[in-house]
């Protein structure tokens, strides 16, 4: 007998400030730990934000505080793994809130699955991408195209991935992305692929459903989640 797929909510939030989305993540993860909701995939676009993970160093922020202020870039310390990451318009950010006990209960395997989602998404556009041994994220021959940084509490995941579709790549010059100083960062647009954000997000959601063997149910964000 074929095993039934897990149920997952899909929340597409458009462009939202990082702090507001983080609150939604926290509320959704708390509800998932209580088993008051199903697994959830959040897809969102952020305004200019630099996040610093638990293993991060502000030395990897190259711009001065004055420059960041002038360019409207916020700096936020967060409880994910990894170093310094940039988020901004033209980038798809995904936050899977999953009970990982249902997906092997293995954080390394979970990261590999997220990488697989992005690799399969890029393949839909004829782009070959791959993993780099010893590094996290997804890479092309021209450079890194997606960053991954996760967190988990009681095996419920938070944070996730960022895929560069068509961001202003100059903002990556404000940091050493993920603490890496000798490898370029690239985007779909920079590689000659003219795909819209909504189109890529829809493809990504389909690949996520395939890799994690979930089926989506309609989801919505209650205003009470944003305080």
């Amino acid at each position: 007998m074929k095993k039934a797929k897990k149920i997952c909510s899909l929340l597409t939030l458009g462009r939202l400030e990082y702090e507001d989305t983080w609150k939604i993540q926290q509320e959704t993860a708390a509800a998932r730990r209580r088993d008051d909701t199903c697994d959830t995939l959040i897809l969102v676009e952020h305004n200019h934000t630099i996040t610093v993970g638990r293993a991060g160093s502000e030395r990897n922020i190259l711009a001065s505080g004055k420059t960041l202020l002038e360019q409207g870039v916020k700096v936020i310390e967060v409880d994910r793994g990894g170093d310094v990451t940039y988020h901004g318009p033209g980038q798809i950010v995904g936050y899977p809130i999953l009970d990982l006990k249902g997906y092997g209960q293995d954080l390394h395997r979970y990261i590999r699955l997220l990488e697989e989602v992005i690799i399969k998404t890029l393949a839909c556009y004829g782009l070959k991408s791959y993993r780099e041994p010893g590094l996290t994220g997804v890479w092309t021959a021209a450079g890194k195209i997606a960053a991954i940084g996760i967190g988990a509490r009681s095996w419920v995941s938070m944070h996730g991935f960022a895929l560069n579709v068509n961001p202003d790549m100059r903002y990556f010059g404000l940091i050493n992305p993920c603490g890496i100083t000798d490898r370029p960062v690239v985007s779909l647009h920079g590689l000659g692929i003219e795909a819209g954000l909504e189109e890529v997000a829809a493809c990504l959601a389909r690949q996520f459903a395939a890799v994690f063997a979930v089926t989506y149910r309609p989801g919505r964000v209650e205003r009470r989640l944003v305080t």
Side-chain angles (χ1 to χ4, degrees):
M1 182 180 294
K2 189 175 180 180
K3 189 175 180 181
K5 290 187 176 182
K6 299 178 179 67
I7 300 298
C8 182
S9 286
L10 175 61
L11 303 182
T12 53
L13 305 183
R15 188 183 298 184
L16 198 62
E17 293 292 342
Y18 185 91
E19 303 97 309
D20 292 336
T21 313
W22 194 4
K23 291 175 183 177
I24 292 171
Q25 281 196 76
Q26 291 168 326
E27 291 282 353
T28 305
R32 189 70 188 99
R33 286 192 294 270
R34 296 191 305 267
D35 205 25
D36 287 345
T37 191
C38 63
D39 293 334
T40 301
L41 172 62
I42 300 169
L43 296 178
V44 66
E45 180 187 22
H46 290 312
N47 292 318
H48 302 297
T49 307
I50 291 170
T51 62
V52 184
R54 293 192 303 269
S57 169
E58 292 197 359
R59 288 178 295 181
N60 284 317
I61 301 176
L62 306 179
S64 67
K66 180 175 182 291
T67 297
L68 295 174
L69 184 64
E70 289 173 348
Q71 298 196 24
V73 181
K74 297 179 180 179
V75 177
I76 302 174
E77 294 186 2
V78 295
D79 57 347
R80 59 161 173 79
D83 206 297
V84 173
T85 303
Y86 164 77
H87 297 311
Q91 186 186 70
I92 298 171
V93 184
Y95 299 120
I97 311 297
L98 309 180
D99 185 346
L100 296 178
K101 295 190 291 295
Y103 301 91
Q105 205 163 338
D106 182 329
L107 293 179
H108 293 289
R109 178 176 182 272
Y110 172 56
I111 291 171
R112 302 291 86 81
L113 291 174
L114 292 180
E115 291 169 341
E116 188 68 16
V117 170
I118 295 167
I119 289 169
K120 287 182 177 295
T121 299
L122 297 176
C124 294
Y125 295 93
L127 182 61
K128 183 178 180 180
S129 59
Y130 50 87
R131 301 172 179 87
E132 279 278 12
L135 297 172
T136 299
V138 176
W139 304 73
T140 71
K144 189 173 185 179
I145 197 166
I148 294 175
I150 66 166
R153 178 182 167 192
S154 301
W155 290 107
V156 171
S157 65
M158 285 182 60
H159 303 289
F161 58 84
L163 173 60
N164 299 327
V165 178
N166 187 20
D168 185 337
M169 301 303 289
R170 291 175 297 180
Y171 282 87
F172 286 96
L174 301 174
I175 63 173
N176 290 322
C178 301
I180 298 171
T181 60
D182 59 348
R183 304 289 292 274
V185 178
V186 297
S187 68
L188 278 170
H189 177 77
L191 296 175
I193 298 172
E194 300 296 335
L197 214 63
E198 290 186 9
E199 175 192 333
V200 179
C203 178
L204 197 153
R206 289 194 299 272
Q207 299 307 321
F208 183 91
V211 170
F212 283 89
V214 300
T215 186
Y216 294 121
R217 75 176 187 189
R220 63 194 181 95
V221 180
E222 301 286 355
R223 288 188 177 276
R224 64 179 176 80
L225 293 176
V226 183
T227 57

